[in-house]
Amino acid sequence: MTDVDQIRVASPVGRWVLLTTVLGSSMALLDSTVINVALPRIGQDLGTDLAALQWTVNAYMLTLAGLILLGGALGDRFGRRRVFVVGVIWFAVASLLCGIAPSAGVLVASRALQGVGGALLTPGSLAIIQASFHPDDRARAVGLWSGLGGVGAAVGPFLGGWLVDGPGWRWVFLLNLPLAAVCVPVALRHVPESRDPEAHGRFDVLGAALAALALALVTYALIEVPEQGASVMVIGAALGGVVLGAAFVTVERRRADPMVPPSVFASRQFTAVNIVTFCVYAALGGFFFLTAIQLQVVAGFSALGAGTALLPTTVLMLLFSASAGDLGRRIGPRIPLTVGPLVAATGMLLMLRVGSGASYLWDVLPAVLVLGLGMVTLVAPLTATVLAAVDTGRAGLASGINNAAARAAGLIAVAALPLLAGMGPEAYRDAGEFASTFRRAMPMCAGLLVAGSVIAWWAVRGTPAARTEQEPEPRPACSTHCGVSAPPLEPEPPPRHT
């Protein structure tokens, strides 16, 4: 095929391309949505403390957030299909290592390897769609990809709960192997190769490494301080993370082809919306991490029950996100980005009613529905405003930065919330202790959403507007077609954020 832009959605090749990208992105999405449900059982089987469970979640998000922009740039340079396939294989091998992990340390290391694979395949899935389909069919293809992926997100918690209660938590990871076995040969046979002929310059490997290491050290300090206290290791890690973060900013300012060009933050709208993103997804990341444990340890739900308890949130997103996006375009993003976080915060506060012997219909469902309405109101306008805040040529870069901000927010929240709420290393084994700390953590999550709402009201313009063209700037390492999608609703949800 000489012109990959001529592929149509209704053609046999178009259907194969969609199948491949949906399977690939679903692998990463499934692991993100089901891991929280499996945490209590993982802790029991491997004899771990709360810190190990935090690392089980954060090791994946750490490498994914730190390398996702670099993964998009690699696809642009060396071929999107090639990097996507490498990512799928890498992810599958790492999933196998997770599934057979004999100890918590091996599981955490394998989860970090999973994040590397996710950073290669996640931007590639959407980039393949943008590069392969005829311009007239791209919007429809993206819609089908997003919708089918949303179905996967909805099924994920239910499937994960069933696996944990049935064959065991290891099958949450081993499930990726048959998906990869289908995805890779289909991709090699039916997906056309594409790359960006204008991609040039050196890869910002130093910037990616500095960002990942800074996040890793800060995360280590936050997770380990409850057990180690203000030890030399903890203080050194915290200071090292701050120093490496400052070094990252300095490197990005001086490089000709930076991973995160500082000039993109010249747009007040772009900067403000990314701060709102950080607040929102920090709250959601902490909420889903703690709630999955609360429902099982305190309320007495099974893993399947806990997985399906939050399903209405995803269903609401699937049904009404498009309408919320249309509303945001008509009235501008300021009101949805102000009201949505406040509604979601109300849902989180309603979760304070969930304790021992809680009723799903009277205690859990009202909170989940209110949270879902808040997410419906804010997620689509949030993504649209990020893209509208920069010129069209930097849409891929803007989406990638926003995605990385969302994942980093969840990473920090999962590390910091147990510390701030006073959870001890064995808190998840004691229903009374976990319940009391959960009651302290939920207002913190709600407070993050309120902060995001205030920032949106103060800094976001009433109507989205693309940034006007400025003087020529160096081309970013992640090109227009890096293909990083809106932040997934993970852990989540996270958000649909893939």
Side-chain angles (χ1 to χ4, degrees):
M1 185 171 297
T2 59
D3 186 359
V4 296
D5 281 342
Q6 298 307 306
I7 293 179
R8 294 287 188 171
V9 170
S11 68
V13 174
R15 289 193 288 268
W16 282 117
V17 171
L18 276 174
L19 173 65
T20 304
T21 55
V22 169
L23 284 176
S25 60
S26 293
M27 289 173 60
L29 185 61
L30 280 172
D31 266 38
S32 298
T33 55
V34 305
I35 185 64
N36 289 333
V37 175
L39 290 176
R41 198 66 57 83
I42 291 174
Q44 293 172 10
D45 287 355
L46 298 182
T48 65
D49 58 12
L50 181 63
L53 299 186
Q54 291 172 276
W55 277 117
T56 301
V57 174
N58 277 350
Y60 174 80
M61 290 197 289
L62 178 62
T63 50
L64 182 59
L67 300 176
I68 195 167
L69 285 173
L70 183 61
L74 289 171
D76 287 343
R77 178 77 65 84
F78 296 116
R80 300 179 179 105
R81 183 188 67 180
R82 176 184 299 175
V83 173
F84 174 80
V85 169
V86 170
V88 171
I89 295 173
W90 187 306
F91 196 92
V93 172
S95 297
L96 175 61
L97 295 176
C98 290
I100 63 175
S103 66
V106 175
L107 177 60
V108 169
S110 301
R111 285 283 287 167
L113 290 175
Q114 264 194 321
V116 177
L120 296 176
L121 73 87
T122 299
S125 59
L126 189 55
I128 287 172
I129 290 177
Q130 289 183 318
S132 299
F133 284 96
H134 190 283
D136 293 343
D137 276 10
R138 283 177 190 160
R140 183 184 176 198
V142 170
L144 289 170
W145 172 82
S146 180
L148 292 171
V151 172
V155 172
F158 176 86
L159 180 61
W162 179 79
L163 289 172
V164 171
D165 284 339
W169 63 266
R170 296 180 184 276
W171 283 94
V172 169
F173 302 108
L174 297 177
L175 181 66
N176 291 319
L177 301 182
L179 293 178
V182 174
C183 183
V184 170
V186 171
L188 293 175
R189 179 175 178 82
H190 296 287
V191 175
E193 185 60 281
S194 65
R195 54 177 54 85
D196 183 0
E198 298 182 12
H200 62 83
R202 297 180 179 180
F203 293 111
D204 190 7
V205 177
L206 177 60
L210 287 173
L213 286 174
L215 282 173
L217 290 175
V218 171
T219 301
Y220 174 86
L222 291 171
I223 290 177
E224 296 299 327
V225 70
E227 186 170 355
Q228 297 187 25
S231 66
V232 174
M233 286 290 293
V234 168
I235 295 175
L239 293 176
V242 173
V243 170
L244 290 179
F248 169 74
V249 174
T250 301
V251 167
E252 297 303 282
R253 285 179 173 175
R254 294 180 178 178
R255 287 187 66 91
D257 293 299
M259 181 176 70
V260 182
S263 58
V264 75
F265 292 98
S267 165
R268 174 183 172 181
Q269 183 93 328
F270 181 78
T271 303
V273 174
N274 276 286
I275 295 174
V276 174
T277 296
F278 189 91
C279 292
V280 166
Y281 284 95
L284 292 175
F287 172 83
F288 284 105
F289 172 72
L290 297 176
T291 298
I293 300 176
Q294 173 80 358
L295 290 175
Q296 294 178 72
V297 173
V298 178
F301 286 34
S302 66
L304 177 59
T308 54
L310 304 176
L311 185 60
T313 300
T314 305
V315 173
L316 287 173
M317 291 290 298
L318 287 173
L319 293 177
F320 300 113
S321 283
S323 299
D326 291 338
L327 178 63
R329 280 190 292 271
R330 289 199 303 270
I331 67 175
R334 189 184 188 193
I335 293 178
L337 295 186
T338 300
V339 174
L342 296 177
V343 176
T346 303
M348 290 185 180
L349 292 177
L350 287 174
M351 282 298 296
L352 294 173
R353 303 167 58 203
V354 177
S356 177
S359 163
Y360 177 73
L361 287 178
W362 298 108
D363 298 319
V364 180
L365 184 60
V368 170
L369 289 175
V370 174
L371 174 67
L373 289 174
M375 291 170 61
V376 165
T377 304
L378 72 92
V379 169
L382 189 69
T383 303
T385 308
V386 165
L387 299 180
V390 299
D391 58 80
T392 305
R394 308 189 98 177
L397 174 67
S399 180
I401 292 173
N402 189 246
N403 194 296
R407 296 178 188 277
L411 171 74
I412 297 299
V414 171
L417 270 176
L419 168 64
L420 296 175
M423 291 185 184
E426 302 297 324
Y428 80 96
R429 301 179 187 275
D430 186 310
E433 181 182 353
F434 193 89
S436 64
T437 52
F438 181 82
R439 286 193 293 269
R440 291 195 289 269
M442 283 302 100
M444 297 177 190
C445 292
L448 284 168
L449 288 169
V450 172
S453 173
V454 171
I455 293 168
W457 178 257
W458 175 70
V460 174
R461 291 193 297 266
T463 56
R467 189 169 65 85
T468 56
E469 287 287 339
Q470 307 273 333
E471 56 185 317
E473 298 169 307
R475 183 179 180 82
C478 179
S479 76
T480 305
H481 297 298
C482 78
V484 181
S485 66
L489 298 176
E490 38 173 79
E492 287 220 294
R496 166 158 174 82
H497 274 310
T498 319

